[in-house]
Amino acid sequence: MKPHSSVMFEVTNTTKESFYFILTGIPGFEASHIWISIPFCCLYTISILGNTTILTVIRTEPSLRQPMYLFLSMLALTDLGLTLTTLPTVMQLLWFNICEISFEACFAQVFFIHTFSFMESSVLLAMSFDRYVAICRPLHYATILTSEVIGKIGLAIICRCVLAVLPSLFLLKRLPFCRSHLLSHSYCLHQDMIRLVCGDIRFNSWYGFALVLLIIVMDPLLIVLSYAMILKSVLRVASLVERLRALNNCLSHILAVLVLYVPMVGVSMTHRFAKHASPLVHVIMANMYLLAPPVMNPIIYSVKTKQIRQGIMRLLSQRNTH
């Protein structure tokens, strides 16, 4: 294994094929990695089992072929993708102390991590539109959100996120790496890799800033706007019971939005304004950012959505009878 040094060297396009990045585990707790792997393993297991269960329930229950649950299945698929993207490097580092990752593998991981993260944001935006139509225009719900429209929304989400991430990778790939090849996480992040570049990164920074505005800022603003319109519509309803029922239908989605955006803002602020903070802070924030949504979303929707909860109970009872 290559030494974890910070020797200055330049990696050009001709040498990138044999270039490796060095991943970092939990700073200061390297001797305890095998014990730290236990909670990580539990979280990954919860994420995979939880999201797979939700997908199975939606696929097997005919009554759940509604727009809300189709969007929920998109969210579960995105969460599964995000989980499976980080699992190999995190667990091989904690279990086997394998710290090296090739240049190509690191770029592939960056692509999938950021694509699935942006997809999570886009799916939550689509779900907020679904809630708006369901509450504000209930009579037109079935005609507006047809299966064809939902399919087109799903395709648009994929195209939007892939086309948003690819240029940043092409911009990064053309730059020389001439600083330490030691990354600060157990997986590859764009904001982590850009620190190791010794070339001019102004264009990369401006593109990253535009991406933040278009997705990380615009999506939550549009979600807030949709909920402002929902709230305005709900307040017109005379009955307090009906108001509470309408807002309760949105509670799962609101919690999912908070679970995504609070860690996302936290990790962005940490990278930008707390560069000299303890490495442990950066590691904790980054792991919360990538693990919180896939772990918490299945729990939130299983607990708060009656139809999903009933579907899980029926699925378990069928397994027991067999």
Side-chain angles (χ1 to χ4, degrees):
M1 187 177 290
K2 293 171 185 159
H4 294 207
S5 61
S6 54
V7 177
M8 298 291 286
F9 61 96
E10 181 169 354
V11 180
T12 60
N13 289 328
T14 57
T15 60
K16 280 176 180 175
E17 289 183 3
S18 59
F19 177 55
Y20 284 82
F21 289 106
I22 302 295
L23 300 169
T24 301
I26 311 297
F29 295 90
E30 287 81 4
S32 305
H33 272 179
I34 196 68
W35 297 106
I36 293 170
S37 72
I38 296 172
F40 273 91
C41 191
C42 291
L43 291 173
Y44 278 122
T45 303
I46 290 167
S47 174
I48 292 168
L49 288 177
N51 287 295
T52 304
T53 301
I54 283 181
L55 287 169
T56 305
V57 167
I58 292 172
R59 186 176 64 84
T60 55
E61 289 285 331
S63 62
L64 299 183
R65 305 288 168 81
Q66 300 173 29
M68 173 185 171
Y69 302 107
L70 294 176
F71 284 124
L72 179 56
S73 65
M74 290 184 200
L75 187 67
L77 279 170
T78 303
D79 285 335
L80 264 180
L82 197 55
T83 298
L84 296 175
T85 299
T86 60
L87 186 149
T89 54
V90 172
M91 296 316 296
Q92 73 177 10
L93 191 150
L94 294 176
W95 279 345
F96 309 112
N97 200 33
I98 298 174
C99 303
E100 290 183 347
I101 182 169
S102 69
F103 185 85
E104 293 81 7
C106 199
F107 263 72
Q109 192 175 47
V110 167
F111 169 75
F112 285 112
I113 285 176
H114 290 287
T115 298
F116 283 124
S117 294
F118 290 158
M119 280 178 68
E120 184 111 12
S121 178
S122 301
V123 171
L124 287 173
L125 175 59
M127 292 174 84
S128 72
F129 175 68
D130 167 74
R131 292 298 81 207
Y132 164 74
V133 176
I135 292 172
C136 299
R137 302 186 66 183
L139 298 178
H140 301 94
Y141 184 64
T143 55
I144 293 174
L145 287 172
T146 61
S147 298
E148 185 182 354
V149 169
I150 293 167
K152 287 179 180 178
I153 290 172
L155 185 62
I157 287 171
I158 294 170
C159 293
R160 178 200 194 205
C161 298
V162 169
L163 293 176
V165 174
L166 279 179
S168 63
L169 289 183
F170 290 134
L171 289 169
L172 184 60
K173 195 174 175 70
R174 69 184 176 84
L175 295 170
F177 290 82
C178 59
R179 294 188 179 138
S180 164
H181 52 170
L182 183 65
L183 298 173
S184 56
H185 302 295
S186 48
Y187 39 77
C188 301
L189 293 175
H190 181 272
Q191 56 265 42
D192 201 13
M193 292 174 69
I194 200 76
R195 296 185 301 106
L196 310 182
V197 170
C198 59
D200 185 1
I201 61 168
R202 281 179 296 179
F203 193 76
N204 299 63
S205 298
W206 279 110
Y207 183 80
F209 180 68
L211 214 56
V212 166
L213 287 179
L214 286 172
I215 295 179
I216 299 175
V217 173
M218 189 176 77
D219 284 5
L221 283 177
L222 290 173
I223 290 171
V224 169
L225 177 64
S226 69
Y227 272 106
M229 296 169 76
I230 287 170
L231 192 61
K232 184 180 176 182
S233 177
V234 167
L235 290 176
R236 291 176 185 164
V237 178
S239 169
L240 178 62
V241 175
E242 289 179 3
R243 289 179 189 175
L244 292 174
R245 187 184 297 120
L247 292 174
N248 189 55
N249 287 336
C250 301
L251 185 59
S252 298
H253 180 257
I254 292 169
L255 292 174
V257 168
L258 292 174
V259 163
L260 173 67
Y261 287 112
V262 170
M264 185 183 283
V265 170
V267 77
S268 298
M269 299 293 261
T270 305
H271 271 281
R272 192 167 296 275
F273 300 113
K275 293 178 181 177
H276 303 294
S278 166
L280 188 60
V281 174
H282 291 277
V283 168
I284 290 171
M285 291 304 299
N287 281 307
M288 281 181 62
Y289 159 57
L290 291 178
L291 277 174
V295 170
M296 292 304 300
N297 285 339
I299 296 172
I300 290 168
Y301 279 95
S302 298
V303 171
K304 292 301 299 175
T305 310
K306 183 181 176 182
Q307 292 85 344
I308 295 291
R309 195 166 60 248
Q310 289 174 342
I312 292 171
M313 296 305 294
R314 274 193 290 270
L315 191 66
L316 292 173
S317 63
Q318 288 171 6
R319 292 279 172 88
N320 290 332
T321 55
H322 292 305

